[in-house]
Amino acid sequence: ADDINTLKEFTDKLEALRILAKQSKESLETQNRIAEYRLKVERKKGAWLDENMPRGALPGSNNKNGVRTSRLTLENIGVTRNESSRARKLATMSDQAFEQFLEYCREGDHEITLKGAASAAFRSQRREEQDQRIEATRIVEADSDFILGESAEEISKLEDESVSCYLIDPPYGIEWAGGRWSAEGVPSKFVKDMKYHDDIKNDDLEGALRVLDESLAAVYPKLKEGSHVYVFTAWQTYSHFEAIIKKYFDMKNLLVWVKESHGVGDCFGNYGNQHELIIFASKGKTTWCSEKRPVNVLYAPKITSRLHPTEKPVSLLKELITIATVEGETVLDSFAGVASTLVASKEIGRRYIGVELLEEYWEKGQRRLENNGETE
């Protein structure tokens, strides 16, 4: 078939046969044989649409350059947008990927469906894109490094468009008080007795917003188009963080990290906090690199070590990095603390660049990287 009307006729007949075979309780092999023929027709239809109605043409035109040489539209040929999208998606599959999908269905006694084939086509396309990204990292990505210095200053020294994910846990601006948040209802002596870390640098609201703004402004040109941006924050200062992030990036979602424990805070007049927030933003249009679409609630136990007062679990950071990047790409954390993000990146084959302001934490992080994530 080399015209759309014949392809549509074949599609209708095969769909009628498929329904008849199912109602007659024909064998799965017979039903799948009919479904296989229909998929082949859909792939031909998608190829015909790509050739005769290329994407990017003006409405009512089939010319890529926008010249109205034809009034051909989907409505004219009786194809809906959903049908067009599905057929084009199936047409993107290589012959090898298509045969692999059919073989998978035959060997596992699975019913061949349009939905299943479209999902397989999507996964195949994603794998090809990720393979291309992995190949590109061998040429342009930077070497891993952990730098003692100030966030925005060190970011400015990086190559433009060299980073694939910016993942930071900056000061929240809540004036954290050495092991416990300052809060009404908590005796000051109790806070003092429990204090085993110095106060966090720039954790007053003005200081936190300043370093965040400076860092985001500096990192924007360093990120590749489509890069993920993750910023840990607290509910108390979320609105301030959101306003700054929106100046530079597209806000995508607000993730909730459930940490299965809670701090003390105001024990008698407020709810215990069992979660923290992570703002997800991007530089332009983006996608995920994980096998399945991620969800915005993440579970990981809170860190109990005393390396750093706000240390995040490596398992949680690995999950975010896996969603955002492919093997070999570079992850940047310019508030790196004791290098948890860098350890997570290293363990799953990503390059990393970390920046930490305080020498005490930088030294601890260096030891962790040297000892494969171990603290000593």
Side-chain angles (χ1 to χ4, degrees):
D2 57 4
D3 65 86
I4 193 67
N5 288 326
T6 307
L7 288 167
K8 285 165 51 186
E9 183 181 347
F10 285 168
T11 299
D12 292 341
K13 288 182 177 179
L14 287 165
E15 176 62 6
L17 283 172
R18 186 192 70 81
I19 293 172
L20 181 61
K22 202 171 186 69
Q23 291 177 342
S24 302
K25 297 184 179 180
E26 297 286 345
S27 68
L28 181 63
E29 181 181 359
T30 299
Q31 294 181 47
N32 277 351
R33 179 63 62 86
I34 296 169
E36 180 179 329
Y37 283 133
R38 188 184 176 195
L39 289 181
K40 290 179 179 179
V41 172
E42 288 289 323
R43 279 164 55 78
K44 290 286 187 181
K45 188 191 297 182
W48 187 95
L49 290 168
D50 279 338
E51 180 180 351
N52 294 276
M53 301 183 66
R55 300 169 192 265
L58 290 172
S61 168
N62 66 345
N63 189 290
K64 285 185 178 180
N65 297 321
V67 179
R68 289 181 179 272
T69 59
S70 170
R71 294 295 297 174
L72 186 65
T73 65
L74 291 177
E75 289 76 14
N76 293 153
I77 62 176
V79 175
T80 68
R81 290 186 179 276
N82 285 339
E83 289 172 338
S84 172
S85 175
R86 180 183 61 215
R88 290 176 192 263
K89 187 179 293 183
L90 291 174
T92 64
M93 291 182 81
S94 66
D95 291 341
Q96 180 181 4
F98 183 63
E99 289 301 325
Q100 286 176 344
F101 166 72
L102 295 178
E103 191 63 28
Y104 163 79
C105 292
R106 294 189 196 106
E107 291 182 354
D109 289 332
H110 302 298
E111 182 182 358
I112 296 175
T113 64
L114 282 172
K115 182 178 179 180
S119 297
F122 177 75
R123 291 193 299 271
S124 174
Q125 186 176 16
R126 290 287 301 280
R127 282 193 296 269
E128 290 179 7
E129 291 171 353
Q130 291 181 21
D131 287 344
Q132 291 171 1
R133 285 177 61 169
I134 291 172
E135 184 63 29
T137 64
R138 299 173 183 170
I139 304 171
V140 300
E141 292 289 326
D143 292 331
S144 296
D145 198 7
F146 188 23
I147 304 162
L148 177 62
E150 190 273 331
S151 174
E153 179 181 345
E154 297 301 331
I155 289 173
S156 67
K157 300 175 185 177
L158 303 177
E159 292 289 330
D160 286 354
E161 298 185 1
S162 62
V163 175
S164 298
C165 175
Y166 187 45
L167 197 170
I168 56 173
D169 181 20
Y172 290 175
I174 58 176
E175 299 187 53
W176 184 91
R180 298 291 182 269
W181 282 291
S182 297
E184 184 179 352
V186 181
S188 59
K189 180 181 183 302
F190 177 76
V191 172
K192 181 178 179 181
D193 290 345
M194 291 300 297
K195 185 168 181 173
Y196 48 80
H197 286 291
D198 292 335
D199 294 347
I200 295 174
K201 190 82 170 175
N202 295 314
D203 197 33
D204 61 290
L205 184 58
E206 181 180 352
L209 299 183
R210 175 181 54 78
V211 295
L212 178 63
D213 198 318
E214 291 173 351
S215 298
L216 295 182
V219 83
Y220 184 87
K222 311 305 175 183
L223 293 175
K224 297 177 180 178
E225 189 69 18
S227 293
H228 287 209
V229 175
Y230 295 99
V231 182
F232 282 83
T233 186
W235 66 266
Q236 298 97 319
T237 54
Y238 162 75
S239 61
H240 300 286
F241 275 45
E242 178 188 26
I244 293 175
I245 291 170
K246 281 183 174 179
K247 288 169 55 178
Y248 304 100
F249 299 103
D250 299 329
M251 285 281 294
K252 304 291 289 187
N253 210 327
L254 183 61
L255 314 184
V256 177
W257 164 37
V258 180
K259 53 188 181 181
E260 301 176 10
S261 63
H262 57 80
V264 176
D266 182 359
C267 297
F268 304 104
N270 200 356
Y271 293 88
N273 288 320
Q274 286 193 316
H275 78 280
E276 289 187 37
L277 305 175
I278 309 168
I279 296 173
F280 168 42
S282 68
K283 182 179 178 180
K285 186 177 181 180
T286 191
T287 186
W288 60 89
C289 297
S290 53
E291 283 292 322
K292 297 181 179 179
R293 183 186 183 188
V295 296
N296 63 357
V297 179
L298 309 170
Y299 296 85
K302 180 182 177 182
I303 289 291
T304 57
S305 78
R306 295 190 176 186
L307 284 178
H308 190 280
T310 62
E311 184 181 351
K312 299 301 185 286
V314 169
S315 61
L316 173 66
L317 300 171
K318 279 184 181 178
E319 187 171 353
L320 295 174
I321 293 167
T322 301
I323 291 167
T325 63
V326 299
E327 183 180 349
E329 289 186 326
T330 298
V331 178
L332 170 62
D333 181 354
S334 62
F335 298 88
V338 291
S340 297
T341 299
L342 315 188
V343 169
S345 300
K346 184 177 180 180
E347 289 184 0
I348 56 176
R350 273 61 167 175
R351 294 179 174 91
Y352 58 81
I353 299 173
V355 181
E356 171 52 38
L357 181 61
L358 298 181
E359 187 170 2
E360 173 192 355
Y361 296 138
W362 178 79
E363 289 177 348
K364 290 178 181 178
Q366 286 282 35
R367 288 197 292 272
R368 289 183 75 190
L369 290 168
E370 292 167 2
N371 296 331
N372 296 319
E374 297 298 324
T375 57
E376 297 295 340

